[in-house]
Amino acid sequence: MLFDEMPSEVFGQRNLCLFPIRRHILDKVFPHGPYTCCIQKRWKKPVDSARTRLEGRTRDHRLDKLMIQLKNLRLALNLHELISQQRNGYASLQLLSRWRHEVGLNIEIGAFLKKYPHIFDIYVHPIKRNECCKVTRKMADLIAEEDAVIRENEPAIIKRLKKLLMLSADGTLNMHALWLTRRELGLPDDYRCSILPNHQSDFSLGSPDTLTLVTRDESLAVADIEEWREKEYTEKWLAESQTKYAFPINFPTGFKIEKGFREKLGNWQRLPYTKAYEKNELHPICNADRLEKRIVGILHELLSLTVQKMIPLERLSHFRRPFDMEVNLRELILKHPGIFYISTKGSTPTVLLRESYSKGCLVEPNPVYNGVVALMKWTVQFSFLRSTTKKAKLRKPAFVSDGSAPREEEILAAQCRLKRHSIKGKLFQRAEPELCL
């Protein structure tokens, strides 16, 4: 009985002062009390999921900066589409503020419109006396020019649609998936009425809103990766076993290569697989690694068919079943950081093809991409000029000619000189390297 009461007497609140050891040291030794010091603590295994790998991936800052610029451009284009749907070509700020969440804006509509005065013209309606907004003439001309370029490239659009339908298992695609990715594929908004009726010998529109390929053109059944492999084989004199099933690998700056990674990558590069345009039924895949590599090849070809070599991650789900990609696409993409890159800096997570970009710019631009770059250049340069001029106006001159304090007239004269200096275009040279020309 005496020994049972000993722990409570020894570790009691009154008798702790009798020990030469301090109280805070006992709390460190026995954090949960003296009676639980012998209980084994369970070690929690770190969570390894697609979300944790997405947060811990090596970032590509150039591609992230490009996505931020494209995000601002897409917000401006969404507002332009909303304004152009109005009867008189303008919309009130009150109406635009109701639809700002649908457009994708997280700030007040007035603050965003005033940030781009070269794109949106805000004025007071002469009769209704409320603030209204319309698109400037320069921005409208650039958008019309881009639309004209898209319509001029109708043969390229037909070729792109054919190859896209040949990637599917049964040669069909849902029209809703094509509508969601029309900007990525370079399709006009009215492609269903302006393009498809002119090519009824190639496409047929089914009853459940499905586009079907009528005749399969085997001359188009060559993936974009095959051209790269042939170039590597002929120009660099590499062995056929090294290039026959290989993919271009470009890791981002700062990517850590662990021990044994190079050997695993070399074995994966030499692994044979059923290619994108080959029918999987002729050569059934039982190996999980070969099936995974086939899906990587299909994703690579799908991104190669887009105009900007990128597509939102959530819209890839519309192609999973037609293309036989019944896997977790996010985990698969994160597993191959040398081929794909997921950027979260835009309005939605976007998958980019790494080999198609160099220093944040497209390696092989096309006419539609050049139109997008012209719009992005117009947006970014003037926003940069506005912020630079605003900072320079707040900066007072350090001295004047007679050595006295700067007068108001001299401050205004310095601001006018700065304005003339910016109009000449010298300030544009600082923003020029950040854009993809």
Side-chain angles (χ1 to χ4, degrees):
M1 189 69 181
L2 181 62
F3 293 101
D4 293 340
E5 297 178 355
M6 182 65 68
S8 60
E9 294 292 335
V10 172
F11 294 99
Q13 194 72 20
R14 298 179 179 178
N15 296 335
L16 283 176
C17 59
L18 300 178
F19 291 92
I21 190 169
R22 296 184 179 273
R23 174 69 184 274
H24 69 277
I25 300 179
L26 285 175
D27 292 339
K28 292 181 180 179
V29 177
F30 307 112
H32 302 288
Y35 300 102
T36 60
C37 60
C38 297
I39 297 178
Q40 183 180 4
K41 296 181 181 179
R42 186 175 180 179
W43 178 73
K44 292 184 178 180
K45 184 179 180 180
V47 179
D48 185 17
S49 61
R51 182 176 180 180
T52 57
R53 285 195 294 271
L54 181 63
E55 295 174 354
R57 74 192 187 284
T58 305
R59 298 182 181 273
D60 193 325
H61 298 288
R62 292 183 182 272
L63 294 181
D64 287 340
K65 190 172 184 179
L66 173 65
M67 293 307 302
I68 293 175
Q69 296 173 358
L70 288 175
K71 174 186 176 182
N72 297 331
L73 176 60
R74 285 168 182 169
L75 289 175
L77 292 178
N78 291 338
L79 283 175
H80 167 265
E81 185 178 358
L82 182 61
I83 294 174
S84 61
Q85 291 176 357
Q86 305 303 316
R87 181 183 304 175
N88 298 322
Y90 67 89
S92 63
L93 265 63
Q94 183 180 6
L95 177 63
L96 293 178
S97 62
R98 298 176 186 173
W99 294 91
R100 65 185 182 93
H101 293 293
E102 284 74 9
V103 172
L105 277 176
N106 296 326
I107 60 176
E108 293 296 331
I109 188 67
F112 181 81
L113 296 178
K114 292 177 182 178
K115 190 178 179 181
Y116 301 100
H118 55 287
I119 299 178
F120 303 103
D121 184 16
I122 302 177
Y123 64 98
V124 178
H125 197 275
I127 299 176
K128 298 180 180 179
R129 309 305 299 175
N130 59 344
E131 286 188 327
C132 298
C133 173
K134 64 179 180 180
V135 181
T136 59
R137 170 58 63 182
K138 178 65 176 179
M139 190 65 179
D141 292 342
L142 288 175
I143 295 175
E145 183 180 352
E146 182 195 7
D147 186 66
V149 170
I150 291 177
R151 296 183 183 278
E152 290 175 359
N153 291 335
E154 185 172 341
I157 293 175
I158 297 302
K159 180 181 177 181
R160 196 177 297 122
L161 284 176
K162 284 183 178 181
K163 298 189 73 171
L164 198 65
L165 290 169
M166 289 169 63
L167 282 176
S168 61
D170 54 354
T172 61
L173 275 179
N174 194 345
M175 292 293 291
H176 182 62
L178 291 177
W179 171 257
L180 292 177
T181 57
R182 66 190 185 279
R183 291 183 178 177
E184 287 76 15
L185 296 173
L187 302 176
D189 292 341
D190 59 344
Y191 70 96
R192 189 166 182 170
C193 302
S194 61
I195 295 181
L196 295 183
N198 299 332
H199 300 273
Q200 296 183 0
S201 60
D202 299 324
F203 310 106
S204 65
L205 192 60
S207 56
D209 207 13
T210 304
L211 185 66
T212 307
L213 182 65
V214 176
T215 56
R216 181 182 175 92
D217 190 358
E218 295 298 334
S219 62
L220 298 178
V222 180
D224 186 71
I225 190 65
E226 297 296 333
E227 300 178 0
W228 175 84
R229 290 168 183 168
E230 184 179 357
K231 185 178 179 181
E232 291 288 309
Y233 177 71
T234 55
E235 294 183 1
K236 296 187 177 181
W237 296 83
L238 297 177
E240 185 179 2
S241 60
Q242 296 178 349
T243 60
K244 189 175 182 180
Y245 300 103
F247 285 85
I249 304 296
N250 299 308
F251 291 111
T253 304
F255 182 78
K256 296 181 180 180
I257 299 178
E258 300 178 353
K259 184 179 179 181
F261 178 79
R262 295 181 184 272
E263 183 179 358
K264 293 180 181 178
L265 180 61
N267 295 334
W268 186 84
Q269 289 279 61
R270 292 186 294 269
L271 182 68
Y273 71 100
T274 306
K275 297 181 181 179
Y277 291 103
E278 296 178 359
K279 292 298 182 180
N280 195 18
E281 291 80 6
L282 301 177
H283 307 283
I285 301 177
C286 299
N287 191 348
D289 294 335
R290 295 188 180 185
L291 178 61
E292 176 184 307
K293 193 169 184 179
R294 171 179 167 80
I295 297 175
V296 169
I298 294 175
L299 280 176
H300 186 281
E301 183 64 14
L302 176 60
L303 290 172
S304 300
L305 292 176
T306 57
V307 174
Q308 299 178 350
K309 314 303 178 186
M310 65 176 70
I311 191 170
L313 182 61
E314 61 180 9
R315 293 175 188 173
L316 284 177
S317 60
H318 297 277
F319 298 95
R320 289 182 63 210
R321 184 171 296 177
F323 292 170
D324 288 338
M325 299 187 299
E326 299 293 336
V327 294
N328 192 332
L329 294 179
R330 179 179 293 185
E331 291 187 359
L332 180 66
I333 291 170
L334 291 173
K335 195 175 179 180
H336 300 277
I339 304 176
F340 310 109
Y341 178 71
I342 298 180
S343 177
T344 56
K345 293 298 182 179
S347 56
T348 180
T350 307
V351 185
L352 296 94
L353 194 60
R354 290 197 53 84
E355 66 182 84
S356 300
Y357 283 87
S358 176
K359 297 182 180 180
C361 301
L362 199 63
V363 177
E364 298 179 358
N366 49 71
V368 181
Y369 175 78
N370 292 333
V372 176
V373 169
L375 288 170
M376 185 171 61
K377 180 180 178 181
W378 176 260
T379 305
V380 174
Q381 277 187 345
F382 274 85
S383 61
F384 171 78
L385 175 62
R386 183 173 179 272
S387 61
T388 307
T389 309
K390 184 177 180 181
K391 292 179 182 178
K393 285 182 179 180
L394 297 177
R395 191 183 303 115
K396 295 182 179 181
F399 61 90
V400 291
S401 57
D402 57 353
S404 59
R407 297 188 300 272
E408 184 177 358
E409 295 81 1
E410 296 184 356
I411 295 176
L412 293 176
Q415 293 177 359
C416 293
R417 287 195 300 270
L418 176 63
K419 187 175 182 180
R420 291 195 300 269
H421 181 71
S422 61
I423 292 175
K424 290 180 181 179
K426 295 184 178 180
L427 287 179
F428 290 99
Q429 297 176 0
R430 296 180 57 186
E432 202 66 37
E434 303 296 333
L435 299 171
C436 303
L437 300 177

